[in-house]
Amino acid sequence: MRTSNHLIGFLNFLTFLLSIPILGGGIWLSSRANNTDCLKFLQWPLIIIGVSIMVVSLAGFAGSCYRNNFLMYLYLWAMFFIIAALLGFVIFAYAVTDRGSGRPVMNRAYQDYSLRDYSGWLADRVDSEGYWSKISSCIRDSRVCRRLGRNVGGVPESAEMFYMRRLSSIQSGCCKPPTSCGRIHQRDSMEPGGGLVGSDPDCVRWTNDQDQLCYGCDSCKAGVLASLKRAGEKSLSSISSY
């Protein structure tokens, strides 16, 4: 029994140490939250998770060291609810991301994404103006589109090379217009191709301005949903592997 208590105490001490950088990250983001909506969007989840892990680990550590039955019961019940919440979250994430996928495009290695392919609770939240302003701010701050350009031999890659790249769903949905818009890749920009322009409203929303691009496009929202779906599937497979 004493060995079991020592093991529980050691594990909770490690968990307590883990909570410090999580909580510190949330506090650091809160000190910089006046800069971007993205940081405001992320700070409180990190703080709440960090504090929760810290409190639970302290209760388990104290209960095992001082053989306090009340703290041990508190620790066990808290761990039960945390595990149940984690499983519930994974199942919920899978349920709300079970629809929609990318659309194959002829002569392209990447896929296009359409918001019409997604529906349900998560799609409604991502499509709402309040949520999307924060999500698009995160994507813009990540500079994922600015890192999209490549040079080959000191020269920007050709259109043919760009079309054969396997872009992520966010890169495809947010950093370029839908293929139906008829634009062609030229030196890190998408220029009119001289052909017919598609009727997709995103064709009008697109701009070569690096601060705008397609961050206001439905294709960008669909790319985010595709990314969340992929993350949910990976989380579920990770849980199932155990």
Side-chain angles (χ1 to χ4, degrees), residues 1 21 25 63 68 75 138 208-209 237:
M1 183 68 179
N68 187 306
Y75 163 74
C138 287
N208 279 316
D209 184 349
S237 63

Side-chain angles (χ1 to χ4, degrees), residues 22-132:
I22 297 176
L23 180 60
I27 296 174
W28 178 79
L29 286 177
S30 66
S31 67
R32 298 172 57 88
N34 57 338
N35 293 336
T36 64
D37 289 335
C38 179
L39 297 182
K40 295 177 183 177
F41 189 57
L42 295 174
Q43 70 181 56
W44 287 112
L46 283 178
I47 291 176
I48 292 172
I49 292 172
V51 170
S52 300
I53 294 176
M54 183 175 291
V55 171
V56 171
S57 60
L58 282 175
F61 181 74
S64 61
C65 289
Y66 297 102
R67 301 181 182 180
N68 187 306
N69 290 333
F70 173 76
L71 290 179
M72 288 301 297
Y73 279 122
L74 179 64
Y75 163 74
L76 291 174
W77 277 108
M79 287 300 297
F80 170 78
F81 284 116
I82 289 175
I83 294 173
L86 177 61
L87 291 175
F89 173 77
V90 172
I91 295 173
F92 172 76
Y94 181 78
V96 299
T97 58
D98 64 338
R99 297 188 60 182
S101 60
R103 296 181 175 184
V105 184
M106 185 178 297
N107 298 324
R108 303 288 191 272
Y110 52 76
Q111 295 180 318
D112 277 355
Y113 296 86
S114 174
L115 190 59
R116 293 190 297 270
D117 295 338
Y118 298 85
S119 61
W121 181 87
L122 185 61
D124 292 339
R125 292 300 182 276
V126 171
D127 191 32
S128 66
E129 183 177 351
Y131 277 91
W132 183 247

Side-chain angles (χ1 to χ4, degrees), residues 160-173:
E160 290 73 18
M161 295 176 65
F162 177 79
Y163 298 149
M164 290 299 102
R165 290 175 58 180
R166 297 187 179 278
L167 305 179
S168 69
S169 59
I170 291 179
Q171 288 173 330
S172 179

